[in-house]
């Protein structure tokens, strides 16, 4: 077993922040533009508020179980069967998204710079970082998050600031985009933007101050909401609406648009490093959670032997989609429409039942 | 064969490592505390040793056992108690021992066994000493026989020492003279034994030890002491009369500075501790002596400030030091390698400095220093990456300059690490990033160069490293000259021979210059080595490869510990929200806390207003504003 | 302490991965800088049978050069012209002829002949937006004549580097106002959106050989007024220079098709209305036209104008007709005043301000009317203001702004404030002194 892991609040928040916001680099600004037109940022804002509300309900329920991860809660709700079932659901969720993200980042890099390198090789490069990260464990991972996530945030801010000359505020009009109804309808599906928040429920036992988990969640939710809303807003400000749905990589497209004088232009390649950092961080923590959930669900003694098989699984899963479009489809249509249920409804269910059961127990004890 | 098997096993099964040490700065749990206690009780004996000992003990007679136990350093008393209480009560865990090691243990023992308790008869003693030191062959080993008269009786006596290692005058005046000529002087000695009279009255020397075993005497004599044997006592005396030739206190050679003190440590242990005491002037400074090396018995000192350094940190350092088993220990560089957490981490985990003021300031933060006799470099532990990029001069310089210098140094580090690889990545993968003018310039300068960029970079980098290494090895002033001339001529010739493009020469030169700006010698080596890995990664996939390299490198750094302190603290993990003296320099009056990741016993260094004069009198009007509270 | 065995294993794993990557990769994408040839500018003309004729101006690095001897200007560029159905087909042909691989990542200018532009350039714009090497910040120019000629006649005489030449040439609008900033990305965005229309810089070859030919152009005045310095489009400008390429005026698009052109002076007004005007020398006639001196020649006042604040455009729908109000506030410096009257102080200053405001207002109005009547294209982006009155995208789409624009009624309000008067604060006529 690994030695006792302790995670500070800042590190945990950084981990969540990157896990939630790394989709900005992939396709997030485009997908919300597709869903809500010029009001993508508004929809994101509404979704964030909704998630905030849901999260405060969850954290209230969780207070009793602080120090336990969601699988433990599942165990106290439905026994070992509950734990295993919940574990399998989470596993499926991670196994669905991580290969897609891996493939997505690899395709990104292929489009951006390594046009003739085979995609499997780019994926292999990502896997290399991923394996080392997952191998060295959660503590190292969160530390490196604390180091790199501020850097990523700074880079994102720099991109936005440098794009200010390209901003045109009338591009946000019409203000409701594709209509209020569409925003609400698509908004439910887009709750999945925050599906990585689930990671908080897994790192719960490792937190330095267990009672701070709600604060960490709120902190990371607030900042990721800030970045998500801001990114989709900036993107809409830089490119007009129908064109916003055309570009494969919104953030990259924004960096391409930067031109500050004759010298300071064509700097988008420098941001490859930033994209790659975000990808490495996301993927290695994803792989870590995959192995960790598996270990925890099936009560295994060791985690590290799982890394290689799961890497192979993820890698293979990443190669399966035939083309870029089907990768996007899996992410947008399948994953998006399901994952919010697993992230928000399942924990709510487990917590609710566990609370009732523990209350019953207490009552019984009191009665006895 | 076996090692390959383990390797394969390790790769494919990812067998977990042994449980790692706890983060030692947290209060250890009960179990761990006991463990460490046990460790320290066991002294420098490991589990294997004890097993072997135990087996030997049973076979050996009690006398031998006792004498052997006494040899075991500074924990005599406990051992004595134990041996009185009968051996079985110790119950050391007997573990299966690999054959080879068992044999080794035996052979080691046999050598030591030759020395026993001091004989009563002076003849036996003389013979014994002669045989120990092979006196008839050893030219520098001197024995002086003489007689003394104590309480009306004449005793034969002799002293033995190594010529050249002792202070002759001191021996003559304060040992031989009183013993030989003044031995009749003492009066009122009826109640004292002969041994007491000699010890109390006849040796006016400040460090005299009474020894019961030959080993004790031999240890002293080996280290510039004198052994004094007197007939019929059954004990011997040893005196500290060190007087060998040594370097005087000199200027630092590798940590040059303009401001600040210019004294450096030298090779003598005691002189180093004295330098340190002179700088610190603190009665709480503890100099704890540990001998390392089963043969060399190199005196080392753990230095720390009693009421600042975290005691579990000191315990850990002591534990590691005492557990080291080597034959000879020559230098702190060797000790560093024996103490460090990870051998393969491409970064030093301890700081070696030759400046007493630097050691003093680190001790003042609650760190621990290790002085090794024979080495002018003192080890400081634990350190973080940021300590390694500070220069000793930083705290003597004014805040704005020091901060600027830090940035320049960090820039130098980044250049050293990444400049060649970034150049390679951009020119081979991301040509659009270059300004068009520069692009065309590089294209035209490369037109006649036959090698791909990676090859020409490697050629030039290796040539640069070669010049550098040769520059160090070449004796005297030629070295630096060769370095500069070599680099200039080589660069110029390489360009005109169309081996490399002139822009590449600039890149390599800036990389080299950057590496000179790294204050820590060892860290500089590590960066210089790692840049080749980045070059390879960049040649595979451009900036993505570099990103992978940086990511993995940072992972390893984040994973590393230096005596339980995470290497990238206070950034990863983030420990404090306050301004810390890491990348930015803090103004001196703002350095209110000691680094909290060291868990010092007193965190506060100075009050929040350390410059009393800034508190102005109330009601004083300054710049038209009434000063309200401060 | 980490156990050594564990550590060894880790090193071995990393080594294995590295070796694996290295052996399998073989550096697919690595290409040396000197193995590529860089396109500086590209021209598209209409070839036979609907083909396109691509002319690519290539930088010759050895001639641009580094080191002690400066490059030779004449050899700094070379041109290759190919004809193919698509741009990439053309690139293939060119690559089979050139020893080095074509690279567009440093292309500064794309010139499209008006012949093609009038038929629509959507397919080329899509190409530019999809392929990685084409930069969004490439300049887009429309040449009145063949693009091939334009590239052939342009010579970087003042620069060693042809890329710099094109960049600076296309940025000259910032100091003259006679042309527009036309990046591919902006033009594409305007063509793609339904609230504004695109413009692009108008380029052509100046075909005058000698200053004696100026008469041909300056023959008849436009609008009964004297021909002012901006009243030209790129092909006919009274200027003689070794490099014949000219950047003057703007090509106006409707959708992806070229609808007409603006001359230099009109482009200044376009920049004023859209708020892009940086700084421009602007000449107005002496307000006291009556006081034409004995020499019987017109006198002028030269101003240096810039926008005091962003122009305010308001749209209101009255009976399904857009009423468009444009407020423009300019500020300026008197550079010269040729006439006898002094406009630096008091009354004179006021008179000059009012006169020039009215003068500019009239011109802007006629420019706006030209966009409405002649081009029927909302290049000033009035639609962006209209759009803000809508909440839903679908409603806005069905509003069909482009159709509404042709009925719009304009109201232009201008104000000119002279802030400074140059090195003089007043001007005493010489006749007074004598």
């Amino acid at each position: 077993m690994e030695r006792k892991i302790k995670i500070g609040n800042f590190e945990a928040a950084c981990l969540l922040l990157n896990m939630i916001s790394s989709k900005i680099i992939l396709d997030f600004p485009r997908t919300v533009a597709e869903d809500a037109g010029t009001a993508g940022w508004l929809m994101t804002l509404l979704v964030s508020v909704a998630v905030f509300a849901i999260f405060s309900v969850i954290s209230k329920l969780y207070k009793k179980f602080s120090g336990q991860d969601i699988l433990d809660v599942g165990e106290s709700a439905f026994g070992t069967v509950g734990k295993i079932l919940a574990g399998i659901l989470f596993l499926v969720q991670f196994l669905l998204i991580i290969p897609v993200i891996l493939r997505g980042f690899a395709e990104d890099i292929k489009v951006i710079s390594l046009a003739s390198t085979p995609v499997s090789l780019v994926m292999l490069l990502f896997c290399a970082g991923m394996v080392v990260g997952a191998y060295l464990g959660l503590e190292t991972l969160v530390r490196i998050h604390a180091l790199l996530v501020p850097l990523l945030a700074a880079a994102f801010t720099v991109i936005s600031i440098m794009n200010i000359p390209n901003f045109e505020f009338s591009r946000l009009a019409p203000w409701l985009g594709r209509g209020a109804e569409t925003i609400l309808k698509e908004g439910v599906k887009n709750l999945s933007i925050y599906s990585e928040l689930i990671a908080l429920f897994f790192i719960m036992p490792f937190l330095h101050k267990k009672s701070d988990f709600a604060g960490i969640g709120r902190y990371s939710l607030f900042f990721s909401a800030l970045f998500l809303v801001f990114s989709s807003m900036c993107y809409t400000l830089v490119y007009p609406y129908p064109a916003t749905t055309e570009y494969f990589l919104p953030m990259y497209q924004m960096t391409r648009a930067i031109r500050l004088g004759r010298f300071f232009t064509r700097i988008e390649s420098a941001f490859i490093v930033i994209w790659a950092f975000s990808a490495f961080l996301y993927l290695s923590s994803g792989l870590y959670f995959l192995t960790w959930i598996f270990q925890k669900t099936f009560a295994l003694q060791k985690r590290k032997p799982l890394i290689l098989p799961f890497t192979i699984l993820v890698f293979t899963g990443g190669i399966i989609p035939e083309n870029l479009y089907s990768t996007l489809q899996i992410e947008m249509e399948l994953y998006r429409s399901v994952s919010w249920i697993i992230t928000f409804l399942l924990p709510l269910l487990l917590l609710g039942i566990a609370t009732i059961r523990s209350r019953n127990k207490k009552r019984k004890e009191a009665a006895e | 064969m076996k090692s390959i098997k383990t390797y394969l096993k390790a790769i494919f099964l990812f067998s977990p490592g042994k449980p790692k040490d706890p983060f030692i700065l947290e209060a250890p749990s009960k179990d761990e505390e006991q463990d460490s206690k046990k460790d320290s009780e066991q002294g420098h004996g490991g589990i294997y040793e004890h097993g072997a000992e135990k087996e030997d003990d049973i076979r050996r007679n009690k006398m031998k056992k006792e004498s052997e136990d006494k040899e075991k350093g500074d924990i005599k008393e406990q051992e004595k108690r134990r041996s009185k209480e009968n051996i079985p009560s110790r119950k050391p865990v007997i573990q299966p021992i690999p054959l080879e090691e068992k044999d080794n243990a035996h052979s080691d023992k046999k050598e030591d066994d030759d020395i026993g308790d001091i004989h009563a008869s002076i003849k036996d003693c003389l013979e014994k000493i002669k045989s120990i030191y092979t006196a008839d062959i050893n030219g520098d080993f001197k024995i002086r026989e003489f007689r003394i008269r104590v309480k009306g009786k004449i005793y034969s006596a002799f002293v033995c020492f190594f010529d050249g290692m002792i202070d002759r005058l001191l021996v003559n005046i304060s040992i031989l003279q009183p013993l030989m000529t003044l031995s009749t002087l003492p009066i009122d000695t009826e109640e004292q034994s002969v041994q007491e009279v000699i010890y109390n009255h006849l040796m006016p020397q400040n460090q005299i030890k009474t020894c019961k075993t030959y080993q004790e005497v031999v240890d002293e004599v080996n280290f510039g002491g004198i052994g004094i044997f007197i007939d019929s006592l059954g004990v011997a005396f040893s005196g500290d009369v060190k007087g060998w030739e040594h370097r005087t206190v000199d200027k630092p050679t590798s940590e040059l500075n303009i401001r600040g003190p210019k004294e450096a440590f030298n090779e003598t242990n005691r002189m180093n501790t004295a330098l340190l005491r002179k700088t610190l002037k603190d009665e709480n400074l503890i100099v704890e002596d540990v001998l390392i090396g089963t043969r060399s018995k190199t005196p080392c000192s753990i230095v720390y400030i009693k009421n600042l350094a975290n005691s579990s940190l000191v315990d850990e350092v002591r534990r590691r030091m005492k557990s080291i088993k080597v034959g000879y220990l020559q230098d702190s560089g060797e000790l560093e390698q024996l103490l460090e957490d990870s051998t393969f981490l491409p970064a030093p985990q301890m700081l070696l400095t030759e400046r007493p003021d630097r050691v003093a300031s680190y001790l003042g933060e609650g760190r621990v220093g290790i002085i090794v006799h024979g080495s002018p470099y003192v080890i400081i532990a634990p350190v973080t990456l940021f300590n390694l990029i500070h220069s000793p001069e930083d705290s003597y310089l004014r805040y704005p300059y020091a901060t600027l210098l830090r940035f320049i140094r960090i820039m130098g580090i980044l250049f050293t690490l990444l400049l060649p690889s970034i150049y390679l990545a951009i020119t081979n993968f991301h040509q659009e990033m270059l300004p068009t003018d520069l692009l065309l310039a590089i294209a035209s300068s490369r037109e006649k160069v036959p090698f791909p960029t990676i090859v020409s970079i490697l050629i030039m980098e290796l040539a640069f490293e070669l010049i550098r290494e040769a520059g160090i090895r070449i004796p005297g002033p030629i070295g630096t000259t060769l370095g500069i001339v070599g680099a200039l001529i080589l660069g110029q010739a390489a360009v005109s021979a169309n081996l490399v493009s002139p822009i590449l020469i600039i890149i390599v030169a800036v990389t080299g210059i950057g590496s000179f700006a790294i204050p820590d010698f060892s860290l500089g080596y590590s960066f210089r080595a790692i840049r080749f890995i980045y070059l390879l990664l960049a040649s595979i996939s451009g900036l993505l490869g570099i990103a992978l390299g940086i990511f993995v490198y940072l992972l390893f750094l984040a994973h590393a510990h230096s005596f339980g302190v995470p290497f990238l603290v206070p950034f990863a993990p983030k420990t404090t929200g306050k301004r810390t003296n890491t990348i930015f320099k803090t103004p001196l009056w703002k350095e209110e806390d000691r680094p909290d990741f060291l868990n010092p016993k007193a965190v506060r260094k100075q009050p929040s207003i350390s410059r009393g004069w800034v508190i102005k009198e109330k009601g004083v009007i300054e710049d038209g504003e009434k000063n309200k509270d401060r | 302490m980490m156990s050594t065995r564990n550590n060894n294993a880790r090193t071995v794993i990393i080594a294995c991965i590295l070796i694996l990557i290295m052996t399998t990769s073989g550096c697919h994408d690595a290409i040396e800088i000197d193995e590529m040839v860089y396109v500086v500018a590209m021209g598209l003309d209409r070839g036979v049978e609907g083909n396109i004729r691509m002319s690519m101006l290539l930088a010759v690095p050895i001639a641009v050069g580094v080191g002690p001897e400066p490059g030779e200007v004449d050899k700094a560029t070379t041109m290759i012209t190919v004809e193919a159905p698509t741009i990439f087909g053309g690139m293939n042909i060119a690559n089979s002829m050139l020893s080095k691989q074509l690279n567009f990542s440093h292309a500064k200018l794309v010139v499209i002949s008006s012949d093609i532009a009038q038929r629509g350039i959507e397919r080329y714009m899509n190409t530019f937006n999809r392929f990685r090497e084409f930069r969004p910040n490439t300049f887009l120019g429309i040449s009145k004549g063949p693009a091939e000629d334009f590239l052939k006649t342009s010579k970087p005489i003042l620069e060693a580097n042809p890329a710099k030449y094109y960049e600076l040439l296309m940025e000259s609008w910032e100091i003259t106002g006679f042309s527009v900033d036309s990046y591919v990305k902006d033009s594409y965005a305007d063509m793609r959106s339904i609230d504004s229309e695109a413009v692009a810089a108008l380029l052509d070859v100046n075909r005058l050989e000698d200053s004696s030919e100026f008469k041909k152009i300056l023959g008849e005045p436009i609008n009964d007024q004297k021909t002012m310095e901006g009243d030209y489009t790129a092909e006919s400008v009274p200027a003689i220079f070794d490099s014949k390429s000219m950047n003057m005026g703007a090509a106006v698009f409707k959708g992806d098709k070229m609808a007409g052109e603006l001359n230099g002076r009109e482009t200044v007004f376009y920049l004023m209305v859209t708020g892009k005007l940086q700084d421009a020398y602007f000449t107005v006639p002496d307000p006291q036209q009556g006081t034409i001196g004995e020499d019987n020649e017109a006198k002028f006042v030269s101003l240096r104008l810039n926008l005091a604040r962003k122009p305010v455009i308001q749209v209101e729908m009255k009976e399904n007709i857009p009423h468009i109000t444009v407020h423009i506030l300019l500020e300026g410096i008197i550079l010269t005043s040729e006439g006898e009257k002094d406009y630096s102080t008091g009354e004179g200053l006021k008179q000059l301000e009012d006169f020039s405001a009215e003068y500019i207002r009239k011109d802007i109005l006629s420019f706006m009317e030209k966009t409405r009547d002649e081009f029927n294209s909302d290049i000033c982006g009035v639609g962006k203001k209209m759009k803000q009155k809508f909440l839903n995208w679908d409603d806005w789409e069905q509003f069909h702004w482009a159709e509404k624009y042709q009925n719009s009624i304009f109201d232009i309000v201008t104000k000119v404030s002279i802030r400074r008067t140059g090195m003089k604060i007043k001007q005493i006529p010489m006749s007074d002194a004598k």
Side-chain angles (χ1 to χ4, degrees), chain B residues 6-7 10-11 15 17 21 342 344 427-428 431-432 434 436-437 439 441 443-444 446-447 452-453 539-540 556, chain C residues 1 5-10 12 14 22 27 29-34 36 38 61 66 100 105-106 108 161 163:
Chain B
T6 3
Y7 268 40
I11 295 166
S15 64
D21 288 315
S342 167
F344 296 97
T427 52
N428 273 10
Q431 292 88 358
E432 70 275 6
L434 290 168
T436 312
D437 309 56
L439 175 99
S444 73
R446 271 196 53 78
E447 206 51 64
T453 314
S539 73
I540 294 167
F556 279 120
Chain C
M1 266 177 288
R5 195 181 122 214
N6 208 359
N7 231 330
N8 278 345
R10 205 174 297 146
V12 170
I14 294 164
M22 266 190 264
C27 320
D29 280 288
I31 180 164
E32 295 288 344
I33 282 187
D34 54 326
M36 285 189 286
Y38 299 91
V66 284
K100 296 181 174 185
S105 61
H106 284 262
K108 306 292 174 194
N161 175 358

Side-chain angles (χ1 to χ4, degrees), chain A residues 117 168 246 256 259 268, chain C residues 29 134-135 171 188 384:
Chain A
T117 311
E168 205 172 281
E246 287 184 342
R256 264 169 87 89
R259 183 190 156 94
E268 76 266 8
Chain C
D29 280 288
F134 288 114
R135 315 265 337 152
E171 277 173 1
Y188 178 76
K384 289 172 184 168

Side-chain angles (χ1 to χ4, degrees), chain C residues 185-314:
Chain C
K185 73 167 191 307
D186 293 339
S187 305
Y188 178 76
D190 284 339
M191 286 175 196
R192 180 57 73 208
S193 57
I194 51 174
D195 47 27
S196 62
E197 302 288 355
V199 292
L202 193 64
L203 310 170
D204 204 1
V205 181
N206 189 347
R207 297 183 194 282
L208 302 185
E209 291 297 331
D210 190 86
S211 53
S212 59
E213 294 174 56
F214 287 171
K215 266 182 272 170
K216 276 195 271 177
I217 308 165
L218 297 170
E220 68 252 34
I222 307 164
N223 299 346
D224 306 330
Q225 282 180 352
K226 192 170 164 29
T227 316
M228 301 299 278
E229 69 269 24
D231 287 335
Y232 315 98
T233 49
E235 89 287 10
S236 56
V237 182
I240 303 292
F241 186 55
D242 277 354
S243 173
K244 297 289 179 194
S245 52
M246 200 60 216
N247 175 18
M248 184 105 166
V252 175
F253 283 82
K254 177 155 177 74
D256 69 322
K257 294 184 181 61
M258 183 170 159
E261 49 195 55
L262 299 173
N263 64 29
R265 199 173 168 81
E266 285 162 340
T267 310
V268 175
F269 303 129
Y270 165 77
L271 293 174
M272 280 181 188
V273 175
T274 48
K276 289 180 194 161
L277 186 73
Q278 308 256 329
D279 252 328
Y281 298 147
F282 193 85
T283 308
V284 292
D286 195 314
Q288 284 185 315
Q289 285 290 0
T291 60
I292 287 175
E294 291 123 41
D295 47 0
N296 204 17
E297 282 196 359
K299 296 277 168 57
F300 297 96
V301 177
S302 290
L303 302 172
R304 180 177 163 155
L305 290 179
N306 59 301
L307 289 162
R309 65 180 64 140
K310 286 253 161 197
V312 178
I313 303 178
Q314 289 162 333

Side-chain angles (χ1 to χ4, degrees), chain B residues 38 42 47-48 50-51 90-96:
Chain B
K38 218 182 267 169
Q42 282 167 355
I47 291 166
Y48 295 144
H50 274 281
R90 265 169 76 194
K91 280 198 180 167
V93 187
I94 299 176
Q95 296 224 334

Side-chain angles (χ1 to χ4, degrees), chain A residues 22-74:
Chain A
S22 68
K23 54 174 74 63
I24 293 177
I25 293 164
L26 280 173
D27 57 354
F28 168 76
R30 187 194 68 240
T31 53
V32 289
E34 273 171 21
D35 287 346
T38 49
W41 64 275
L42 191 67
M43 184 181 78
T44 318
L45 192 68
L46 291 176
V47 166
S48 310
V49 171
V51 168
F52 219 84
I54 297 173
F55 178 73
S56 41
V57 173
I58 292 182
S59 57
K60 213 163 212 179
L61 286 173
Y62 222 122
K63 244 175 210 164
K64 261 185 209 146
F65 304 97
S66 68
Q68 296 180 18
D69 56 67
I70 192 76
L71 296 174
D72 291 331
V73 174

